Amino acid sequence: MIFWTVSSVISAAIIYDKREKKRAIAKWAHAVEHLAKEPMPDLLGLAQPRKLTIYLSNPPGDGLRVAQDHYTEYVKPILAASGLDWEFVQGRREGDVRAYMAERVRRIRQDAEGSNEVDPSKEPTKEEIIEALRKERGIKEYDGIRGDVIIGRHTWKEYLRGLHEGWLGPLTAPPEPEPLPPTTPTPSSRLSPRRVRPLRPIHEPHLLGFLNTPTRLYRFFNRRKLADEIGREVAAVCLCTYREYRHLSGSEAEDTSPASTGQPLKYEQEKELVWEEKDWIKSTWKEDDPKDKAVSEITERVRAKPIVMDERIADRMRRFQLMPEDEERVSRIVVPEEEVEGWIKGKLRQLYRWGAKAAFEKKKPAPWDVE
């Protein structure tokens, strides 16, 4: 009796959470599905649509597949419903996202200063080939707000580090990344961004360890709440509603990160997803072992360091956020039960409808059968 009671309670909790998680994802997918019906900017295909950039990397102590599964389960359904285009930036080891972001900003600076000359001795990259084909065929760049989606605190740290390195560092990539003081301007940083493209960090809770099993079980049985939070964040990106990042003051400026230096936080960017750092494995905070080959391949340890913001970058950043009128509109969306029910319940519903139709609905005779 005890066995069946415990088994039934656990099964009911899993089934209920799974159904409500699907309901939350479907609700936010319905909130942005009208974007897929909007016409293209150019019917002849000579203008590009809005494209988002998704940044993800392997969480501390695990592989990239975990981040990919998290994206596929919570983020992708809403993006697919919106009809928007997106591209991936995937970091397979620490530092990949930082390097890509810094190089992307350097290209923007080189184009603005007219110093982006093609080296004939080097083979062109895939992006350069695509860009050359678009210019040759007269395909225009999207003239509007694009947006970046950064999944996880670990990716967020690398994104910010690459953003600072690209705008405040030299135009050519150094052999090894060097720390940039936040208050000391560099001679090559004359060109500062008027506005950084809007962005949104996305939750990615990732907890390992046998002793953390109670916390992991609690999160497993409450994935519907995580789906609702991520759905709200992704919907704000799709709807392109954003605000300026603000400065912290009072109790908000308290630094709770394990990498804290004891100084109060100044910018909101420093506190984004800071609670995720408490779940990281202990080896993230240990000093590098020179004998470890895997660690020696990493050019810079970004995740174990505190976030350092430069005011020239921090004051120009914008954050996607849902507006109150959109929140009210989404609250009125009702997801049909048939859209979230499981296989067994769906088959039982089909069987009931078939039986009711066969028993109570009279078949209309054909005109030629009427006497």
Side-chain angles (χ1 to χ4, degrees), residues 93-100 102 106 158 161-162 165 173-179 288 292-303 305:
R93 62 178 182 177
E94 185 176 355
D96 287 355
V97 174
R98 175 205 58 79
Y100 176 89
R106 289 192 196 100
E158 292 192 35
R161 181 64 180 83
E165 181 183 334
E176 293 185 2
E178 300 177 357
D288 297 343
D292 192 347
K293 294 182 179 180
V295 173
S296 61
E297 294 178 356
I298 301 176
T299 56
E300 182 185 12
R301 296 290 298 273
V302 180
R303 300 175 181 178
K305 298 179 181 179

Side-chain angles (χ1 to χ4, degrees), residues 53-60 64 66-76 79 87-91 97 148-159 200-205 230 233-234 273 276 280 303:
T53 305
I54 314 295
Y55 294 86
L56 54 86
S57 61
N58 61 309
L64 181 62
V66 176
Q68 293 173 337
D69 292 342
H70 180 79
Y71 158 81
T72 304
E73 186 174 2
Y74 296 101
V75 181
K76 184 179 178 181
L79 291 178
E87 60 182 351
F88 273 115
V89 176
Q90 303 187 64
V97 174
D148 293 341
V149 177
I150 303 97
I151 300 179
R153 170 80 174 182
H154 54 286
T155 313
W156 174 244
K157 278 191 166 184
E158 292 192 35
Y159 179 92
R200 181 66 194 228
I202 302 295
H203 292 71
E204 188 186 2
I230 295 179
E233 296 165 353
V234 179
L273 308 179
E276 290 186 9
W280 293 356
R303 300 175 181 178

Side-chain angles (χ1 to χ4, degrees), residues 301-313:
R301 296 290 298 273
V302 180
R303 300 175 181 178
K305 298 179 181 179
I307 294 178
V308 179
M309 298 295 300
D310 188 286
E311 61 180 1
R312 293 168 290 180
I313 303 296

Side-chain angles (χ1 to χ4, degrees), residues 170-227:
L171 278 177
T172 56
E176 293 185 2
E178 300 177 357
L180 297 173
T183 57
T184 306
T186 57
S188 59
S189 62
R190 298 186 303 272
L191 181 65
S192 296
R194 290 181 297 175
R195 278 289 184 269
V196 179
R197 84 167 52 171
L199 48 88
R200 181 66 194 228
I202 302 295
H203 292 71
E204 188 186 2
H206 185 71
L207 184 62
L208 300 175
F210 177 76
L211 297 179
N212 295 318
T213 300
T215 304
R216 297 174 67 183
L217 283 174
Y218 174 80
R219 293 180 179 179
F220 176 76
F221 287 115
N222 288 274
R223 291 181 296 174
R224 60 188 183 276
K225 298 180 181 178
L226 178 64

